[in-house]
Amino acid sequence: MERWVWVTLILAGYLAVTLAIGLAAGRRSSDTVSGYVAADRDFGLLVMYFVTGASVFSAFAFLGGPGWAYSRGAAAFYILSYGVLGMAPWYWLGPRVAEVGRRRGYVTQAQLLAGRFPSRLLSVLIAALTLVAFVPYITLQMRGAGIVIEAVTDGHIPLWAGAALAYGIVMLYVIFAGVMAVGWTNTFQGVFMLVIAWSLGLYLPVKLYGGVGPMFEAILAERPELLTVPGLTASGEPWTWGGYSSAILVSAVGLQMWPHLFMKAFAARDDDTLRRTVILFPTFQLFLIPVFLIGFSGVLFPQAPPDGPDSILPFMVLSTGMPALVVGLFCAGALSASMSTGDALLHGAASVVVEDGVRPFWSLSDAQQRLLMRVLVVAVGAVAYVFALDEDSSLVELLLGSYGIIAQLAPPVVAALYWRRATTAGALAGLVGGSAVSVFFYLNGHLRPFDLHEGVLGLLAHVPLLVLVSLATPPQEAPHVRAFVEERGGSAEPASPAASAHSTPREHP
Amino acid sequence: MTPRMPTGERLAIAAFFAAYVAAVTWPGLTLVNRVHPLVLGLPFVMAWIAAWLVAAGLVLWGVDRRARARRHASGDDGAAPAGR
């Protein structure tokens, strides 16, 4: 049999196992919104570890990471720098978020924000923002899956069919099993990603250069510009220090603010689970090292990947004469990276639109909410799929741009939980002003001072606006604030017995 | 919720993460921006960034151990769903 047939069989096996895990996992959660969106707040450490790691590292890390190392060299190190910086505050923030969520029945980020800062506008803004940021993100995951499948099957399964197959399966398990399926499939996919990245990342340098050290010596001799930070831009010019440093800052601030990651705080079983997830996150993050090694191993390879730097990983696997089994497993690893982020995004987008975009205006029963979420999973998936078939690279731009806006969610979250004097007007002014500045500099990139990321510039406008407008408006009432901000040396408002119940109606004091 | 962290420890943690940010961005990173000596085969600057990442994990682990000890001393295991 030809290699691509074997590869296709391995792939089919992988997809079947994923689907089985996803569907089986759903039987473990209750038929409620809290069950569908927050897993009845019962994810343990194993699932939280992998759901966090595998959701953070998407097809962008698995395919784009090697692509960056290959074409932009040390610029890729920024990806290695921000993850833990972004995750560490979550050691303190995460349990606070989870505690308020349990007490007030929240399952999304916007519910928390609109709880402290009562405003339907705020809620809808965040829902819209989430959708705008998620569609290109999901689209890229789908394209990633399609590209990999097309490459390893020698084109026998074209991009449109591969993407449809992989994401048909994702939609099935997300629709039927919600976040439980996301959690358990991510566990399976996370293991796959780690094993494939480490084995391939260590194997390729040894096979092609005789070791990691010799590989870097060889690159240093021929392409020294690739090994010095800040590396190169996509067009091969030297990148700026301002661009490199501010990319780290905005990514660190924005990381946990991505709604699909933030929401998982509501799914954790207890505070210790959340804290341990943060402590263990660096062990997952280290897998970027072999991911970069894969990209670097292609630098001095005689041929260049035909479909651009992002296909360096499948290209290296296919051109170094590996057996079909290895190619198939690698493909499953790349699919894992794509699907484990795509499922969390689809699920997150549907949950946020219903909880924050629809429910503030129409009251829906628990069953109606879940039905609407499932419809939206299909709708969002379909829209992303249409974009995925369109070879429009501006989507990557859109995704990078959305990071600047997502980072604007950080100041109101911190203010909601730690700053007594913050007001609704302040939060809204900061969010709108910060996002506007961010979008302005995104559209007018040449005006950015020191090549700073537009998200950092947005934050520079956001924080003063939040503070000044808050101080200029009347403070919130003390009992309301006490429900969110912990008393010094004491505890926040004690839990009422009914509050931990599923999806209690949102309180608007 | 939990017994408060001593002020000294708060400052130390803040200092560590401030140093982390400074060490992996401009201008801190310019001081170690070189390939040699290779560390475990990796360019020095890449190993430097990875080392901070590992150190941050260890620091958080230490913070957690101390927080646990404080909770234990105050008779709270911190694992109950209500957090207290």
Side-chain angles (χ1 to χ4, degrees), chain A residues 207-223:
Chain A
K207 158 140 172 136
L208 297 173
Y209 302 88
V212 175
M215 175 176 83
F216 281 113
E217 296 287 5
I219 295 173
L220 184 65
E222 298 210 16
R223 301 280 311 276

Side-chain angles (χ1 to χ4, degrees), chain A residues 207-292:
Chain A
K207 158 140 172 136
L208 297 173
Y209 302 88
V212 175
M215 175 176 83
F216 281 113
E217 296 287 5
I219 295 173
L220 184 65
E222 298 210 16
R223 301 280 311 276
E225 73 278 11
L226 285 180
L227 297 186
T228 312
V229 183
L232 309 176
T233 63
S235 54
E237 308 288 312
W239 202 14
T240 60
W241 274 107
Y244 178 90
S245 301
S246 60
I248 291 175
L249 293 180
V250 79
S251 307
V253 170
L255 176 66
Q256 268 299 338
M257 295 302 135
W258 280 94
H260 63 296
L261 297 175
F262 191 100
M263 283 166 63
K264 297 300 180 292
F266 300 118
R269 182 174 297 154
D270 53 44
D271 294 351
D272 272 351
T273 303
L274 271 172
R275 294 195 192 100
R276 287 186 184 132
T277 305
V278 176
I279 295 169
L280 288 173
F281 180 73
T283 61
F284 204 107
Q285 163 105 354
L286 280 175
F287 103 123
L288 284 172
I289 291 176
V291 161
F292 292 160

Side-chain angles (χ1 to χ4, degrees), chain A residues 12-28:
Chain A
Y14 159 78
L15 289 172
V17 172
T18 305
L19 183 61
I21 291 174
L23 293 182
R27 303 193 355 216
R28 297 165 54 111

